[in-house]
Amino acid sequence: MKVAICNLGRIVSGDWHNPFVAGDTIVTDAGRIVSVGTAAADDADVVIDAGGMTAIPGLIDSHVHVTFGDYTPRQRTVGYLESYLHGGVTTAISASEVHVPGRPRDPEGVKALAVAAQRCFADYRPGGMKVIAGSVILEPGLKANDFKELAEKGVRLAKAGFGAVATAYDYAPLVADARAAGLITTCHTGGSSIPGSGAITGDHLLKIRPHVSFHINGGPTAMPDADFARVILESDMALQVCTAGNLRTTLLCARLAQQHGAFDRFIIATDTPTGSGIMPLGMLYTIAHLASLTEMPPEQFICAATGNNAKVYGLDSGFIAPGKAADIVLIDAPDGGTQSTALAAIKHGDIVAIGAVITAGIPRFVGRSRNTPATTRKAQVVRSRVTQDFAAAAH
Ligand SMILES: [Zn+2]
């Protein structure tokens, strides 16, 4: 299916070094972006008139507590992932399946859990969202060969923070073995989030050496302020800030990353669902908080939530560029607000309105998100050759 999105007011690339693409049209075919700029839409199967809205890459939430299916045991809710898609999230990355009730704690059990989660989401897209699941929970007893086996089976992620280690320093050899097998390693940061797990601070991170410091701003309790500069200057680990954390240290981390030339490593996520709840608009709120409370421009934080996450996790999405996955979100100034464009609204501190979400080249909705305010402009399908069921419209 070929889809053309035309009449765009602005296109955000996903690359914060070069955040805008010239032109007003994006064409996708067979799940990929094929052109960005001014292509004609004549032979498209579906033509979406964006009405002057802004296109951004689909948001990538790199810290979601998935379990199995579109269900969160922590908040006893079904359908939350589909709800996040209505908040512009087109890819969710598992923060480990630690919320599975009665989750296993032995090496065979945590391996099996990661493989099962990876398999269960390999083709299952809740609401159209891509879910990258299967993050092995690091437990004492896992050996180098276990990580090799997991990598061969398609597991890509490993998580330090919830294992039965004596001290957090005991994660260092486990992370080293997981890294050697090619897994992307992630580590809880800050005060303990569940009873029994200890605080992880800058000194721990620098010895554990994960690829990603999970919620470096605190999950939900922050590490000492002085540790932020140390982690930025003494390592190359990704600096993940999460909605369900400390806002003051989120801003501190953004400013330090910018100041020390480390913004490529600055990534945005939600760390939900958790005790903090289900937050379908969490990514939009954190982008708005960062843009409105720092001097940095809003498009820079959209890129931190898209292209930066894609680079850290090696994804084929996160950018509006030919060859990339056709995951695109149309955003606009919210109806009734004081600003006239999406980017101005974000800088002002408002969350944006979402007018359409396309994932894998398939429009999942066009017109109005279930969760954001209405858009100021109108996006609509102006032509479709795709067979549809219009029965719903008859009522
Ligand atoms: Zn978490």
Side-chain angles (χ1 to χ4, degrees), residues 14-33:
D15 174 7
W16 75 273
H17 296 282
N18 195 7
F20 296 110
V21 189
D24 60 6
T25 304
I26 301 168
V27 179
T28 76
D29 197 7
R32 297 270 150 197
I33 295 170

Side-chain angles (χ1 to χ4, degrees), residues 24-339:
D24 60 6
T25 304
I26 301 168
V27 179
T28 76
D29 197 7
R32 297 270 150 197
I33 295 170
V34 292
S35 78
V36 184
T38 53
D42 301 348
D43 64 338
D45 300 301
V46 177
V47 178
I48 298 168
D49 183 334
M53 286 190 200
T54 299
I56 64 170
L59 302 174
I60 298 168
D61 185 344
S62 55
H63 196 129
V64 182
H65 281 282
V66 303
T67 54
F68 290 98
D70 196 353
Y71 170 61
T72 162
R74 181 56 60 88
Q75 292 297 343
R76 303 183 178 117
T77 300
V78 293
Y80 75 101
L81 289 167
E82 196 239 351
S83 197
Y84 279 41
L85 183 113
H86 278 255
V89 177
T90 57
T91 299
I93 302 175
S94 175
S96 82
E97 292 74 32
V98 72
H99 288 179
V100 168
R103 66 102 171 161
R105 292 169 190 276
D106 60 303
E108 277 310 309
V110 290
K111 282 164 62 185
L113 177 61
V115 173
Q118 186 274 329
R119 294 290 193 280
C120 283
F121 280 105
D123 296 315
Y124 170 50
R125 283 177 167 262
M129 179 192 289
K130 172 117 181 122
V131 179
I132 298 170
S135 176
V136 63
I137 301 163
L138 295 181
E139 291 281 6
L142 285 166
K143 303 285 181 223
N145 275 342
D146 293 316
F147 298 114
K148 280 187 203 136
E149 181 193 337
L150 286 168
E152 279 161 18
K153 288 179 172 169
V155 170
R156 302 179 51 196
L157 305 164
K159 162 74 187 276
F162 296 128
V165 292
T167 90
Y169 294 112
D170 296 341
Y171 284 122
L174 292 163
V175 165
D177 285 343
R179 264 182 177 270
L183 301 187
I184 295 172
T185 56
T186 63
C187 184
H188 176 94
T189 308
S192 58
S193 63
I194 52 176
S197 59
I200 295 181
T201 63
D203 195 57
H204 295 103
L205 286 175
L206 291 169
K207 293 198 168 72
I208 297 169
R209 294 264 159 193
H211 291 90
V212 184
S213 162
F214 262 178
H215 44 67
I216 192 166
N217 60 312
T221 309
M223 65 180 182
D225 284 7
D227 289 10
F228 286 83
R230 276 196 71 199
V231 172
I232 290 169
L233 293 170
E234 297 174 31
S235 82
D236 61 359
M237 73 185 73
L239 317 163
Q240 181 193 68
V241 298
C242 288
T243 313
N246 181 317
L247 174 59
R248 189 186 59 79
T249 53
T250 300
L251 304 174
L252 170 73
C253 187
R255 292 194 178 102
L256 286 172
Q258 179 78 354
Q259 188 185 324
H260 294 297
F263 199 83
D264 283 335
R265 294 149 53 193
F266 186 84
I267 60 177
I268 295 175
T270 63
D271 188 11
T272 59
T274 52
S276 301
I278 296 164
M279 301 176 74
L281 306 185
M283 295 292 285
L284 297 180
Y285 275 113
T286 295
I287 290 167
H289 294 159
L290 281 159
S292 60
L293 297 172
T294 69
E295 299 311 308
M296 289 173 250
E299 58 272 17
Q300 188 162 337
F301 294 110
I302 292 171
C303 297
T306 56
N308 281 8
N309 268 318
K311 276 191 272 183
V312 166
Y313 283 91
L315 308 182
D316 66 353
S317 55
F319 296 93
I320 295 187
K324 294 293 181 182
D327 294 350
I328 299 159
V329 174
L330 300 188
I331 60 173
D332 195 21
D335 189 34
T338 58
Q339 306 298 305

